[in-house]
Amino acid sequence: MSTEAGLPADLPRLSRKEPAPKAGIVHLGLGAFFRAHGAIYIEDAIRSSGGRYADWGIIGVSLQSPRMRDQLAPQDFAYTAQELGPEGESLRQVEIVCDVLVAREDPETVLTAMSDPAVRIVTLTVTEKGYCHDPATGRLNTGHPDIRHDLENALPVSAPGFLVRALARRKAAGLPPFTVLTCDNLPENGRLVKGIVLELAERLDPELSAWIAAEGRFPATMVDRIVPATKPEDVEALAARTGRHDAAPVLHEPFRQWVVEDDFVPAYGKDARPDLAAAGVELVSDVTAYEHMKLRMLNGTHSSLAYLGYLAGHETISETVADPVFARFVKALWRNEIIPSFKAPPSVDLVAYADALFARYANPGIRHRTWQIAMDGSQKLPQRILGTLRDNLAAGRASPGLCLAVAAWMIYVGGTDLEGDPIDVRDPLAERLKSLSDGADDAPAKVSALVGVTDIFDAALAADLRPRITEAYVRLQDEGVRAALETVS
């Protein structure tokens, strides 16, 4: 008998060492990334500024599944962060989370928490698809079933719906709004979520929208830390090492970075945020250059390596860049196509940043699976790759490597690899994309069908990219991945 597969039944459960902090933050989408990144920064900020946890505890919200609540509740919402470095591992117990709510089970309790005067910040990691927007335009997708529900019901189901309904309650109660601090990989993420929130609020109550626009704050951020998915064998290995059962540990690389625009709701004065700078957060007036750097140089190459590496048979990113062909490819991608496409942040050496990224990718302790990174590509391509392609086209700069990456994505979403074996595609548009690919007879037709998906490609960009991606698609089919990469490295 065991508590779960591989664990003895009498193994003690991880438990909290310190009293639970009072909540000052609600986090929508409490997954592994935020628990390995933002939560640790916030805990460090409280410790570094003199208060153990003060009143900046985090109430996590799972928008869909009760799994995270069910894993963390028996251990008082504490969990282990396991740092995986090239030289070995280190462990840390994180205790800043004080509760986890499940929105689909009890949306009223979530709105009540978000409406609490003690809550001054709502953070989000709901992934690109969680904003219910059109990735090609950044506008609210009013045809999205969750948005249709939220326009007709007082108890919402979407992340934008919870933000708007909670802000409406605060306005009605005469409270200041909370700061909305998105931590997802989206260009100008603060401005994007502000636009989505204002558009939804406008449809419900124009006065509410005007109040949010005047009083609310939506600082943009850039977040960076590689956090691979936790597997059952990771839970078992941690239990064997510590003698305690932690059902929800997080694994992460040593590197971390968080750049935040220092623009929080002014009504709270000095209490508008924790002392994030004390924990190493970079507080800036404009995060745009940092966003471009990270989205294009890290996320863009991560996705490129994921699709091309997966089709070449590589399981993880570290395995992919250990292949000399891929190592040359990604370095050429940075040098020739990505670094020339944007202006560096102040005092940042982009060549040195690329070298550091390569070292992070090569870390054998991080088993970040290509299949995992490849998920939800329809939501990721516009900001990770298509923006760079658009700027390069405008500058007359060739982008053969990025075109190969987009072509690899198209092969991937077709549902079979280059050997004809099936692929388990996870994407909000998976059925539609596969149907378009299946309905086309050859490579040019498949590319034409897929660049015609306006949720992803705007018409002008699609017209410019069609011949270039078709050439790349044919090369991948005819020559295979590694040979195709040799031609652009």
Side-chain angles (χ1 to χ4, degrees):
M1 182 178 178
S2 64
T3 53
E4 60 182 64
L7 298 179
D10 60 351
L11 195 67
R13 196 67 177 256
L14 184 75
S15 60
R16 183 181 291 277
K17 298 175 182 177
E18 299 282 338
K22 295 179 180 179
I25 297 172
V26 170
H27 181 81
L28 303 183
L30 189 70
F33 180 80
F34 184 78
R35 292 192 298 120
H37 183 268
I40 293 176
Y41 266 113
I42 291 164
E43 187 172 89
D44 285 348
I46 303 309
R47 290 177 176 176
S48 299
S49 56
R52 182 61 173 167
Y53 294 122
D55 54 355
W56 285 109
I58 299 167
I59 297 174
V61 177
S62 292
L63 291 170
Q64 303 273 351
S65 167
R67 181 180 60 85
M68 187 57 60
R69 187 268 320 273
D70 295 347
Q71 289 177 337
L72 287 176
Q75 51 201 56
D76 302 322
F77 306 104
Y79 61 91
T80 306
Q82 185 170 358
E83 183 177 291
L84 306 174
E87 308 304 321
E89 304 175 359
S90 62
L91 304 179
R92 166 182 178 163
Q93 185 162 316
V94 183
E95 301 192 2
I96 194 68
V97 177
C98 55
D99 199 1
V100 178
L101 308 175
V102 181
R104 292 290 170 122
E105 289 183 358
D106 192 353
E108 176 59 42
T109 298
V110 174
L111 289 174
T112 299
M114 296 172 71
S115 306
D116 188 327
V119 169
R120 285 147 285 166
I121 300 174
V122 173
T123 50
L124 300 90
T125 47
V126 295
T127 76
E128 293 89 347
K129 63 185 177 183
Y131 292 90
C132 305
H133 73 303
D134 179 348
T137 65
R139 298 288 302 277
L140 179 71
N141 179 4
T142 55
H144 193 290
D146 287 353
I147 297 301
R148 292 203 305 268
H149 172 279
D150 291 354
L151 287 168
E152 298 169 1
N153 298 274
L155 294 177
V157 295
S158 74
F162 275 102
L163 293 173
V164 170
R165 292 294 185 178
L167 287 166
R169 292 190 180 195
R170 295 177 80 102
K171 178 177 181 291
L175 296 172
F178 43 71
T179 296
V180 178
L181 190 67
T182 172
C183 304
D184 281 297
N185 288 315
L186 295 159
E188 299 187 336
N189 55 11
R191 284 169 280 285
L192 182 136
V193 71
K194 179 179 181 179
I196 291 168
V197 165
L198 293 179
E199 190 171 349
L200 180 56
E202 179 72 24
R203 289 173 178 270
L204 293 171
D205 178 359
E207 289 188 8
L208 172 64
S209 183
W211 178 78
I212 296 170
E215 304 296 329
R217 294 295 186 273
F218 298 78
T221 69
M222 185 274 269
V223 297
D224 191 1
R225 172 165 266 182
I226 295 174
V227 181
T230 303
K231 303 181 293 299
E233 53 265 37
D234 299 320
V235 175
E236 294 169 16
L238 181 63
R241 178 175 175 178
T242 64
R244 289 185 174 273
H245 174 209
D246 181 350
V250 291
L251 314 177
H252 60 79
E253 65 171 333
F255 179 89
R256 67 175 186 175
Q257 187 177 18
W258 197 4
V259 185
V260 177
E261 290 179 349
D262 195 8
D263 183 25
F264 290 72
V265 171
Y268 296 111
K270 64 181 178 60
D271 296 321
R273 60 166 173 78
D275 186 2
L276 297 173
V281 176
E282 298 170 66
L283 296 167
V284 301
S285 60
D286 186 351
V287 82
T288 303
Y290 294 91
E291 286 178 340
H292 283 163
M293 179 181 76
K294 195 260 181 166
L295 281 167
R296 297 184 178 198
M297 293 188 67
L298 189 152
N299 298 117
T301 56
H302 231 198
S303 289
S304 299
L305 290 169
Y307 293 112
L308 290 159
Y310 182 91
L311 293 179
H314 292 312
E315 183 182 0
T316 67
I317 292 296
S318 60
E319 178 186 316
T320 303
V321 298
D323 181 333
V325 171
F326 277 89
R328 289 193 296 272
F329 166 73
V330 73
K331 290 176 181 179
L333 208 57
W334 282 318
R335 182 177 62 251
N336 300 329
E337 302 182 30
I338 297 177
I339 288 176
S341 75
F342 69 98
K343 183 179 179 181
S347 304
V348 173
D349 181 338
L350 295 181
V351 174
Y353 181 70
D355 291 341
L357 284 178
F358 189 85
R360 293 166 63 192
Y361 289 171
N363 178 359
I366 296 290
R367 293 188 55 78
H368 209 175
R369 298 171 62 200
T370 52
W371 179 83
Q372 178 195 1
I373 300 163
M375 293 169 60
D376 300 332
S378 68
Q379 311 297 296
K380 297 173 178 177
L381 281 184
Q383 56 268 14
R384 295 187 176 197
I385 295 177
L386 299 186
T388 309
L389 282 169
R390 181 182 292 106
D391 289 347
N392 284 350
L393 284 166
R397 188 165 41 244
S399 305
L402 291 175
C403 287
L404 275 174
V406 177
W409 168 77
M410 290 182 172
I411 293 170
Y412 181 90
V413 298
T416 56
D417 63 20
L418 293 170
E419 305 300 322
D421 294 325
I423 299 172
D424 181 13
V425 178
R426 305 286 179 90
D427 192 288
L429 303 182
E431 291 184 11
R432 179 179 170 194
L433 296 171
K434 187 177 188 311
S435 177
L436 288 168
S437 182
D438 287 347
D441 294 331
D442 57 17
K446 290 179 186 293
V447 171
S448 292
L450 292 169
V451 298
V453 178
T454 57
D455 305 54
I456 306 169
F457 300 88
D458 66 59
L461 181 62
D464 286 337
L465 288 179
R466 185 179 294 111
R468 296 170 171 84
I469 296 174
T470 299
E471 179 184 350
Y473 195 114
V474 170
R475 183 176 296 134
L476 289 170
Q477 280 188 321
D478 292 350
E479 302 173 12
V481 175
R482 298 179 86 254
L485 295 186
E486 292 277 23
T487 65
V488 301
S489 301

